[in-house]
């Protein structure tokens, strides 16, 4: 199969390109680092010639710095995806594997002892400033128990990046309905591993911690370190893309979402501790700082990806962190 990979030179995209080629696929590349912009219709049209499917990884990532980032997220993620989809429609390409994200959920799933499954709103700044980081029940304000979030959970993006990733899904779903195409949206959880961006406010938390340790500084853990996430290795994510590409297509004219996660959640504090242990210290410092756009717990159910795609993460957390810490 001939596949166009956007963001082909990036952290995740480069691993996908290598794996696709290992499995006999012919790969066409599109990446801003090579002067090719997914927002340019002529470039997209040229790259789509002879293509059977698209694996769309190009995006501006991270929580961002402040509202000044809004135009960049909209231009890169939303406009870029719209231009790509229009080009696919014109070229007759009808299969898309889309890099989405767990950020579309906002907070994960929670249960209240009195009201059952609830969806808490954004955490109040006065709670965060007072050191109370757990979401409250929206009906009675009591403490909630976090659970696992499935793909059919309501979406509730909480920052510009999350808004743009959900917009990508909506645009892709509209494209699929209009063209009879198929979209497999892979909602990545916290991806880490070799080639992860570093020394930038848009890098993932694992890369930020690693950079601190390389400087001989303690990783600075926000809140109380108890935020729960699912850390999934980039090689597992690349394999999920391969399975999505090769899996028998779901119903044409629609979008099917999949959580791409390890299924073994960890706290951010645990992750920082694992990296520090590999480096021999210094130990992480819990700062109590917070960011209003952050969510507390996002823990995925990976069942759909396992049953429909045959995907299951294979890189153990400790092994993956040890390898990640050793990379320069």
């Amino acid at each position: 199969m001939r596949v166009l990979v956007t963001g082909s030179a990036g952290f995740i995209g480069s691993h996908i390109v290598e794996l696709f080629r290992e499995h006999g696929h012919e790969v066409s590349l599109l990446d801003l680092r090579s002067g090719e912009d997914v927002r340019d219709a002529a470039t997209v049209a040229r790259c789509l010639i002879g293509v059977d499917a698209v694996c769309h990884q190009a995006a501006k990532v991270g929580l961002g710095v402040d509202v000044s980032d809004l135009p960049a997220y909209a231009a890169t993620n939303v406009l870029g995806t719209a231009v790509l989809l229009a080009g696919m429609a014109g070229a007759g390409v009808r299969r898309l594997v889309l890099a989405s994200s767990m950020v579309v959920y906002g907070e994960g799933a929670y249960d209240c002892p009195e009201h059952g499954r609830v969806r808490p709103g954004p955490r109040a700044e006065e709670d965060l400033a007072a050191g109370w980081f757990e979401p409250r029940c929206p009906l009675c304000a009591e403490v909630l128990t976090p659970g696992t979030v499935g793909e059919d959970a309501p979406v509730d993006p909480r920052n510009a990046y999350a808004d743009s990733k959900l917009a990508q899904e909506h645009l892709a779903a509209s494209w699929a309905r209009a063209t009879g195409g198929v979209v497999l949206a892979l909602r990545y959880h916290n991806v880490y591993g070799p080639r992860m961006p570093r020394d930038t406010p848009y890098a993932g938390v694992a890369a930020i911690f690693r950079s601190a340790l390389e400087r001989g500084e303690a990783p600075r853990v926000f809140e109380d370190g108890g935020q729960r996430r699912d850390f999934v290795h980039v090689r597992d994510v690349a394999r999920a893309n391969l399975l999505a590409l090769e899996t028998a297509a779901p119903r044409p004219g629609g979008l099917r979402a999949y959580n791409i996660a390890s299924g073994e959640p960890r706290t951010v504090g645990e992750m920082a501790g694992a990296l520090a242990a590999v480096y021999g210290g210094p130990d992480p410092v819990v700062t109590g700082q917070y960011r209003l756009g952050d969510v507390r717990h996002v823990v995925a159910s990976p069942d759909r990806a396992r049953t429909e795609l045959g995907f299951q993460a294979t890189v153990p957390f400790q092994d993956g962190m040890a390898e990640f810490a050793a990379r320069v």
Side-chain angles (χ1 to χ4, degrees), residues 81-311:
T81 299
V83 171
L84 175 66
L85 293 169
M88 291 173 64
V93 180
R94 296 293 181 262
R95 189 175 183 90
L96 173 65
V97 179
L98 173 67
S100 188
S101 172
M102 56 87 174
V103 296
V104 301
Y105 297 121
E107 286 286 353
Y110 291 86
D111 293 304
C112 172
E114 181 177 352
H115 298 102
R117 181 58 53 94
V118 295
R119 297 285 293 176
R123 293 176 293 170
E125 186 168 10
E126 54 266 31
D127 281 347
L128 298 172
W132 180 265
F133 302 116
E134 296 295 332
R136 299 179 184 271
C137 175
L139 301 176
C140 66
E142 289 300 316
V143 176
L144 299 172
T145 301
T148 57
V149 62
E151 291 87 350
D152 294 327
V155 291
D156 185 18
R158 301 287 176 89
N159 55 62
Y161 173 59
D163 292 334
S164 70
K165 296 307 286 185
L166 183 57
Q168 287 183 315
E169 288 196 13
H170 286 165
L171 288 168
S174 295
W175 165 84
R177 287 191 296 271
T179 64
V182 171
V183 184
L184 292 89
L186 306 186
R187 290 175 176 169
Y188 302 159
H189 285 250
N190 286 68
V191 187
Y192 73 98
R195 306 174 202 158
M196 193 174 188
R198 54 192 295 168
D199 300 324
T200 164
Y202 304 98
V205 65
I208 292 171
F209 289 166
R210 183 182 67 175
S211 293
L213 288 162
E214 289 173 346
R215 296 191 300 268
E217 300 172 3
R220 296 178 60 81
V221 180
F222 279 18
E223 302 187 13
D224 60 359
Q227 312 94 301
R228 295 170 75 232
R229 299 288 189 271
D230 190 305
F231 297 95
V232 58
H233 197 277
V234 67
R235 287 196 299 272
D236 282 327
V237 171
R239 189 164 48 81
N241 277 268
L242 177 69
L243 291 168
L245 178 71
E246 296 181 342
T247 295
R251 178 176 57 86
L255 179 148
R256 187 72 165 163
Y258 298 92
N259 285 326
I260 303 303
S262 73
E264 297 181 357
R266 308 277 176 162
T267 68
V268 172
E270 287 176 322
M271 186 269 289
L275 283 177
V278 175
Y279 275 91
D283 291 335
V285 173
V286 176
T287 69
Q289 293 174 277
Y290 58 86
R291 298 185 298 183
L292 291 178
D294 277 340
V295 295
R296 181 62 174 173
H297 305 296
V298 187
V299 176
S301 168
D303 292 346
R304 180 183 290 180
R306 182 175 62 251
T307 58
E308 295 186 13
L309 300 181
F311 170 77

